[in-house]
């Protein structure tokens, strides 16, 4: 069941699955647009404005057909990479029980999210290739279309290199830092990835602390076990990283304890999602939260 945006998408539209919008890779990012099946609004004739009688006077207001274009605009600023344009709850493939659990947690989290209030975040963790990034992107996408909340996707190592570039060229990139600190929902992919210098840890600390103080919501994914620092040495190539170090080892006490306060950790374990996706049941469940509600 998908309650729809207004005007409703065509029944049985195979392009948008009656959601009214489609998402495509365009350039570097995933971009949404209104599906061609959505008819012109008959209430406002497509102008988006309506005359409203209020307290005996006539005012110009926005037509409800503007809700979908509004949410599409928000989605198109999320900077979701083009390669994840198709990642949604609707096409998430389920491989085993713990992945089903993670999938269910993500959907529940979206349905319980309350705009304008403090919302505890969620970090998906597990070994490489367990659909973590798909779940992260699907959660961000669903948040936008369900609640109209502003979100931003950023890859951890990319975040660090961008900030570093800003500093090294003399303009400490405070606008980017401020943006990342104040966006209502930030999704960080591959938390803890890479060989982290002291400087990088300081920057992560700053972003996380500022978000913590601003009561922003943090979503994320990581290959590392969410446990306190163990003092294990940095990974070498002979052994998989996740077997040795914890997320605490990667980001340090201070950042890790903040992450624990700000987010819950959801494990995605199971078969390798990238190689076994064909052999498993499809996740088009009736429990998919409807992205068009609200
Ligand atoms: Zn359509
Ligand atoms: Zn209208």
């Amino acid at each position: 069941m998908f309650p729809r945006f207004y005007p409703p998408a065509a029944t049985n539209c195979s392009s948008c699955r009656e959601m009214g919008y489609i998402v495509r890779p365009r350039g570097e990012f995933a971009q949404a647009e209104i599906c061609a099946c959505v008819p012109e609004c008959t209430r406002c004739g497509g102008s988006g404005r309506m005359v409203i009688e209020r307290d005996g006077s006539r005012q110009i207001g926005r037509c409800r057909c503007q809700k979908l274009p509004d949410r599409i605009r928000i989605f198109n600023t999320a900077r979701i990479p083009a390669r994840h344009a198709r990642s949604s709850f609707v096409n998430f493939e389920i491989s085993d029980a713990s992945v089903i659990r993670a999938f269910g947690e993500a959907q529940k989290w979206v349905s319980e999210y309350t705009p304008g209030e403090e919302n505890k975040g969620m970090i998906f963790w597990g070994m490489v290739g367990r659909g973590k990034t798909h779940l992260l992107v699907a959660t961000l996408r669903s948040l936008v279309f369900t609640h109209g909340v502003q979100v931003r996707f950023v890859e951890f190592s990319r975040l660090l290199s961008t900030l570093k570039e800003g500093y090294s060229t003399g303009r400490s990139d405070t606008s980017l830092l401020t943006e990342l600190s104040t966006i209502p929902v930030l999704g960080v992919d591959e938390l803890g990835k890479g060989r982290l210098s002291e400087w990088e840890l300081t920057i992560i600390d700053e972003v996380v602390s500022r978000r913590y103080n601003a009561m922003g919501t943090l979503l994320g994914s990581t290959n590392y076990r969410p446990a306190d620092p163990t003092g294990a040495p940095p990974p070498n190539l002979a052994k998989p990283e996740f077997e040795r170090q914890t997320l605490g080892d990667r980001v340090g006490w201070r950042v890790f304890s903040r992450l624990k306060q700000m987010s819950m950790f959801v494990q995605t374990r199971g078969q390798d999602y990238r190689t076994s996706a064909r052999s498993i049941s499809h996740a088009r469940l009736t429990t998919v939260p409807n992205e068009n509600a609200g």
Side-chain angles (χ1 to χ4, degrees), residues 154-181 186 199-200 202-208 210:
V154 66
E155 210 172 66
F156 185 71
S157 42
R158 178 101 188 239
L159 162 70
L160 292 176
S161 61
T162 308
L163 289 168
K164 206 166 186 172
E165 209 178 283
Y167 278 91
S168 67
T169 54
R171 45 180 192 98
S172 66
D173 219 328
T174 49
S175 61
L176 177 64
L177 203 57
T178 300
E179 200 188 335
L180 291 171
S181 307
L186 180 68
W199 183 86
E200 288 172 329
T202 308
I203 283 294
I204 298 161
D205 192 13
E206 180 158 358
V207 172
V208 171
R210 283 173 70 165

Coordinates of all heavy atoms in Angstrom, one line a residue, residues 154-181 186 199-200 202-208 210:
V154 N 27.9 11.3 2.9 CA 29.3 11.6 2.7 C 30.1 10.3 3.0 O 29.8 9.6 3.9 CB 29.8 12.8 3.5 CG1 29.7 12.5 5.0 CG2 31.2 13.3 3.1
E155 N 31.1 10.1 2.1 CA 32.0 9.0 2.3 C 33.1 9.4 3.3 O 33.7 10.5 3.1 CB 32.6 8.5 1.0 CG 32.9 7.1 0.9 CD 33.2 6.7 -0.5 OE1 34.3 7.2 -0.9 OE2 32.5 6.0 -1.1
F156 N 33.4 8.6 4.3 CA 34.3 9.0 5.3 C 35.7 9.5 4.8 O 36.1 10.6 5.1 CB 34.5 7.8 6.3 CG 35.4 8.1 7.5 CD1 34.9 8.9 8.5 CD2 36.6 7.6 7.6 CE1 35.7 9.2 9.6 CE2 37.4 7.8 8.7 CZ 36.9 8.6 9.7
S157 N 36.3 8.7 3.9 CA 37.6 9.1 3.4 C 37.5 10.4 2.5 O 38.4 11.2 2.5 CB 38.3 8.0 2.7 OG 37.4 7.3 1.9
R158 N 36.4 10.5 1.8 CA 36.2 11.7 1.0 C 36.0 12.9 1.8 O 36.5 14.0 1.5 CB 35.0 11.4 0.1 CG 34.6 12.6 -0.8 CD 35.0 12.3 -2.1 NE 34.8 13.4 -3.0 CZ 34.1 13.4 -4.1 NH1 33.4 12.3 -4.4 NH2 33.9 14.5 -4.8
L159 N 35.3 12.8 2.9 CA 35.1 13.9 3.9 C 36.4 14.4 4.4 O 36.7 15.6 4.4 CB 34.2 13.3 5.0 CG 34.2 14.2 6.3 CD1 33.4 15.5 6.1 CD2 33.5 13.4 7.4
L160 N 37.3 13.4 4.8 CA 38.6 13.8 5.3 C 39.4 14.5 4.2 O 40.0 15.6 4.5 CB 39.3 12.6 5.8 CG 38.7 12.0 7.1 CD1 39.5 10.7 7.4 CD2 38.7 13.0 8.2
S161 N 39.4 14.0 3.0 CA 40.3 14.6 2.0 C 39.8 16.0 1.6 O 40.6 16.9 1.3 CB 40.4 13.7 0.8 OG 39.2 13.4 0.2
T162 N 38.5 16.1 1.6 CA 37.9 17.4 1.2 C 38.3 18.5 2.2 O 38.7 19.6 1.9 CB 36.3 17.4 1.1 OG1 36.0 16.3 0.2 CG2 35.8 18.6 0.6
L163 N 38.1 18.1 3.5 CA 38.4 19.0 4.6 C 39.9 19.4 4.6 O 40.4 20.5 4.7 CB 38.0 18.5 5.9 CG 36.5 18.4 6.2 CD1 36.2 17.6 7.4 CD2 35.9 19.9 6.3
K164 N 40.7 18.4 4.3 CA 42.2 18.5 4.3 C 42.6 19.5 3.2 O 43.5 20.3 3.4 CB 42.9 17.2 4.1 CG 44.2 17.0 4.6 CD 44.6 15.6 4.6 CE 46.0 15.4 5.3 NZ 46.3 14.0 5.5
E165 N 42.0 19.3 2.0 CA 42.3 20.2 0.9 C 42.0 21.6 1.2 O 42.8 22.5 0.9 CB 41.4 19.7 -0.3 CG 41.9 20.0 -1.6 CD 40.9 19.4 -2.7 OE1 40.9 18.2 -2.8 OE2 40.2 20.2 -3.2
G166 N 40.8 21.8 1.9 CA 40.5 23.2 2.3 C 41.5 23.8 3.2 O 41.9 24.9 3.0
Y167 N 42.0 23.0 4.2 CA 43.0 23.5 5.1 C 44.3 23.8 4.4 O 45.0 24.8 4.6 CB 43.2 22.6 6.3 CG 42.2 22.7 7.3 CD1 41.0 21.9 7.3 CD2 42.3 23.6 8.4 CE1 40.0 22.0 8.3 CE2 41.4 23.7 9.4 CZ 40.2 23.0 9.3 OH 39.3 23.1 10.3
S168 N 44.7 22.9 3.5 CA 46.1 23.0 2.9 C 46.1 24.2 1.9 O 47.2 24.7 1.7 CB 46.5 21.7 2.2 OG 45.6 21.5 1.1
T169 N 45.0 24.6 1.4 CA 45.0 25.7 0.5 C 44.7 27.0 1.2 O 44.4 28.0 0.6 CB 43.9 25.5 -0.6 OG1 42.6 25.3 0.0 CG2 44.2 24.4 -1.6
G170 N 44.8 26.9 2.5 CA 44.8 28.2 3.3 C 43.4 28.6 3.7 O 43.3 29.4 4.6
R171 N 42.4 28.1 3.1 CA 41.1 28.5 3.5 C 40.5 27.3 4.4 O 40.0 26.4 3.8 CB 40.1 28.8 2.4 CG 40.3 27.8 1.3 CD 39.4 28.0 0.1 NE 39.4 26.8 -0.7 CZ 38.5 25.9 -0.7 NH1 37.4 26.0 0.0 NH2 38.6 24.8 -1.4
S172 N 40.6 27.5 5.7 CA 40.0 26.4 6.5 C 38.6 26.3 6.1 O 37.8 27.3 6.2 CB 40.2 26.7 8.0 OG 39.4 27.8 8.3
D173 N 38.2 25.1 5.7 CA 36.9 25.0 5.1 C 35.7 25.0 6.1 O 35.0 24.0 6.3 CB 36.8 23.7 4.2 CG 36.0 24.0 2.9 OD1 35.1 24.8 3.0 OD2 36.3 23.4 1.9
T174 N 35.6 26.2 6.7 CA 34.6 26.2 7.8 C 33.2 26.1 7.3 O 32.3 25.7 8.0 CB 34.8 27.5 8.6 OG1 34.8 28.6 7.7 CG2 36.0 27.5 9.5
S175 N 32.9 26.6 6.1 CA 31.6 26.5 5.6 C 31.1 25.1 5.4 O 30.0 24.7 5.8 CB 31.4 27.3 4.3 OG 32.2 26.7 3.3
L176 N 32.1 24.2 4.9 CA 31.8 22.8 4.8 C 31.6 22.2 6.1 O 30.7 21.4 6.4 CB 32.9 22.1 4.0 CG 32.7 20.6 3.8 CD1 31.5 20.2 3.0 CD2 33.9 20.0 3.2
L177 N 32.5 22.5 7.0 CA 32.4 22.0 8.4 C 31.1 22.4 9.1 O 30.4 21.6 9.7 CB 33.6 22.5 9.2 CG 34.0 21.7 10.4 CD1 34.4 20.3 10.0 CD2 35.2 22.4 11.1
T178 N 30.7 23.6 8.9 CA 29.5 24.1 9.4 C 28.3 23.4 8.8 O 27.4 22.9 9.5 CB 29.3 25.6 9.2 OG1 30.4 26.3 9.8 CG2 28.0 26.1 9.8
E179 N 28.3 23.2 7.5 CA 27.2 22.5 6.8 C 27.1 21.1 7.3 O 26.0 20.6 7.6 CB 27.5 22.5 5.3 CG 26.3 22.3 4.5 CD 26.7 22.1 3.0 OE1 27.7 22.6 2.6 OE2 25.9 21.4 2.3
L180 N 28.3 20.4 7.5 CA 28.2 19.0 7.9 C 27.8 18.9 9.4 O 27.3 17.9 9.8 CB 29.6 18.4 7.7 CG 30.0 18.1 6.3 CD1 31.5 17.7 6.2 CD2 29.1 17.1 5.6
S181 N 28.0 20.0 10.1 CA 27.7 19.9 11.5 C 26.2 20.3 11.7 O 25.6 19.9 12.8 CB 28.5 21.0 12.3 OG 29.9 20.7 12.0
L186 N 23.0 13.4 8.9 CA 24.3 13.2 8.1 C 24.5 11.7 8.1 O 24.4 11.0 9.1 CB 25.4 13.9 8.8 CG 26.8 13.7 8.1 CD1 26.9 14.5 6.8 CD2 27.9 14.2 9.0
W199 N 45.7 14.5 12.9 CA 45.0 15.7 12.4 C 43.6 15.2 11.9 O 42.6 15.9 12.2 CB 45.7 16.3 11.2 CG 45.0 17.5 10.7 CD1 45.1 18.8 11.1 CD2 44.0 17.6 9.6 NE1 44.3 19.6 10.4 CE2 43.6 18.9 9.5 CE3 43.5 16.6 8.8 CZ2 42.6 19.3 8.6 CZ3 42.5 17.0 7.9 CH2 42.1 18.3 7.8
E200 N 43.5 14.1 11.3 CA 42.2 13.6 10.8 C 41.3 13.2 12.0 O 40.1 13.5 11.9 CB 42.4 12.4 9.9 CG 43.0 12.8 8.5 CD 43.4 11.6 7.6 OE1 43.8 10.6 8.2 OE2 43.3 11.8 6.4
T202 N 41.3 14.6 14.8 CA 40.9 15.9 15.4 C 39.7 16.5 14.6 O 38.7 16.9 15.2 CB 42.0 16.9 15.4 OG1 43.2 16.3 16.0 CG2 41.7 18.2 16.1
I203 N 39.8 16.4 13.3 CA 38.7 16.8 12.4 C 37.4 16.0 12.6 O 36.3 16.6 12.8 CB 39.1 16.8 11.0 CG1 40.0 18.0 10.7 CG2 37.9 16.9 10.0 CD1 39.4 19.3 10.8
I204 N 37.6 14.7 12.7 CA 36.4 13.9 13.0 C 35.8 14.2 14.3 O 34.6 14.4 14.4 CB 36.8 12.4 13.0 CG1 37.4 11.9 11.7 CG2 35.6 11.5 13.3 CD1 38.2 10.7 11.8
D205 N 36.6 14.4 15.3 CA 36.2 14.8 16.6 C 35.4 16.1 16.5 O 34.3 16.2 17.2 CB 37.4 15.0 17.5 CG 37.0 15.1 19.0 OD1 35.8 14.7 19.3 OD2 37.8 15.4 19.8
E206 N 35.8 17.0 15.8 CA 35.1 18.3 15.7 C 33.8 18.1 15.0 O 32.8 18.6 15.6 CB 36.0 19.3 14.9 CG 35.2 20.6 14.8 CD 36.2 21.8 14.5 OE1 37.4 21.6 14.4 OE2 35.6 22.9 14.4
V207 N 33.7 17.4 13.9 CA 32.4 17.2 13.2 C 31.4 16.5 14.2 O 30.3 16.9 14.4 CB 32.6 16.4 11.9 CG1 31.2 16.0 11.4 CG2 33.4 17.2 10.9
V208 N 31.9 15.4 14.8 CA 31.0 14.6 15.7 C 30.6 15.4 16.9 O 29.4 15.4 17.2 CB 31.7 13.3 16.1 CG1 30.9 12.5 17.1 CG2 31.9 12.4 14.8
R210 N 30.4 18.7 17.2 CA 29.5 19.8 16.9 C 28.1 19.2 16.6 O 27.1 19.8 16.9 CB 30.0 20.5 15.7 CG 31.2 21.5 16.1 CD 31.8 22.1 14.9 NE 31.0 23.1 14.2 CZ 31.4 24.0 13.4 NH1 32.7 24.1 13.1 NH2 30.6 24.9 12.8

